[in-house]
Amino acid sequence: DVVMMQPPLSPPVSLGQAASISCNSSQSLVHSDGNTYLSWLHQRPGQPPRLLIYKISNRFSGVPDRFSGSGAGTDFTLKISRVEPEDVGIYYCTQSTYFPRTFGPGTKVDIK
Amino acid sequence: DVQLVQSRGGLVQPGMSLRLSCEVSGFTFNDYSFNWLRQAPGRGLEWVSAIGPKGDRTYYADSVKGRFTISRDNSKATLYLQMNNLRVDDTALYYCTPMALDYWGQGTQVIVSA
């Protein structure tokens, strides 16, 4: 199975500051169809996860434009340009290029 | 609005069975494949099972193969997960989602304990 790796914690950020979360995969996530099926999820305490980004950099409907995704191959990054209070929680990267879908362990984001 | 409403979970003893359901609305249920995912207490997300739009293709994680059965009733827009021979390490919050993870149920708590 593809192993997804994330740091467990992101350095605490102040409100309005930028945050960046990294994700690495054990093999390239480029599918034979040319797409890279790497998504980002956000989970607030006590809530189900919600989809933020799909195919590396596409924001899901209703996701604020302060969230952006980038990367290629095995290295990916989620950036929050200006952190707001509701952005705290755990961020997961996940791949569905290969079966079975696998998830990173999650990165916790806290406000300083 | 898209809604995925999951059944209530429960506390069961090891070796027992439980069936989860997930009723979908506001969504063309028949056109999409669906997943069950789970999240053990204080842990990350784990893919459990998936089913194609017609229900003729099913997939399972090795950890549940032979014990869990995924199914769907397209006439009722409902997804199911039949869990047999439950083990303590199946204890988790179970979520139903479409394959793209774009919508989520509220989660069903399953506790397996003697």
Side-chain angles (χ1 to χ4, degrees):
Chain A
D1 295 358
V2 175
V3 178
M4 304 298 290
M5 295 159 279
Q6 297 178 245
L9 292 172
S10 180
V13 294
S14 301
L15 293 174
Q17 296 290 312
S20 181
I21 300 163
S22 63
C23 170
N24 300 98
S25 56
S26 59
Q27 59 192 86
S28 172
L29 298 185
V30 180
H31 193 277
S32 56
D33 67 6
N35 290 305
T36 299
Y37 294 99
L38 183 284
S39 300
W40 289 94
L41 307 172
H42 174 218
Q43 186 174 33
R44 298 185 182 112
Q47 294 188 15
R50 68 171 183 136
L51 180 65
L52 295 176
I53 301 283
Y54 61 97
K55 288 197 285 185
I56 301 178
S57 59
N58 295 273
R59 272 189 304 277
F60 182 56
S61 173
V63 174
D65 61 7
R66 66 178 183 275
F67 291 94
S68 63
S70 63
T74 61
D75 299 320
F76 305 94
T77 302
L78 175 71
K79 289 184 180 171
I80 311 172
S81 60
R82 298 170 308 278
V83 170
E84 298 197 4
E86 61 266 30
D87 298 339
V88 299
I90 300 178
Y91 290 80
Y92 296 96
C93 60
T94 175
Q95 68 83 25
S96 57
T97 295
Y98 301 99
F99 177 84
R101 172 186 287 280
T102 50
F103 295 85
T107 298
K108 188 174 182 181
V109 170
D110 269 329
I111 304 296
K112 197 185 296 184
Chain B
D1 272 8
V2 176
Q3 283 196 308
L4 288 78
V5 179
Q6 296 185 225
S7 54
R8 293 180 64 173
L11 168 64
V12 297
Q13 293 183 328
M16 294 187 66
S17 298
L18 198 61
R19 188 174 87 151
L20 309 185
S21 66
C22 172
E23 186 173 352
V24 180
S25 59
F27 197 84
T28 315
F29 182 78
N30 298 12
D31 288 348
Y32 293 93
S33 298
F34 278 79
N35 290 305
W36 285 99
L37 308 175
R38 67 184 180 185
Q39 188 169 34
R43 304 291 296 275
L45 294 160
E46 179 189 13
W47 173 81
V48 173
S49 183
I51 188 167
K54 296 181 181 178
D56 53 344
R57 291 177 298 155
T58 58
Y59 310 89
Y60 299 95
D62 288 344
S63 56
V64 307
K65 202 173 291 182
R67 300 186 300 120
F68 289 14
T69 303
I70 190 172
S71 62
R72 62 193 294 162
D73 184 337
N74 284 353
S75 68
K76 296 180 179 178
T78 301
L79 182 71
Y80 300 100
L81 186 67
Q82 176 68 42
M83 304 186 294
N84 297 333
N85 192 20
L86 281 160
R87 307 192 302 218
V88 171
D89 61 359
D90 293 319
T91 294
L93 194 54
Y94 285 74
Y95 293 106
C96 59
T97 76
M99 289 299 282
L101 309 188
D102 42 359
Y103 300 100
W104 292 68
Q106 82 276 18
T108 297
Q109 184 68 58
V110 174
I111 301 172
V112 185
S113 174

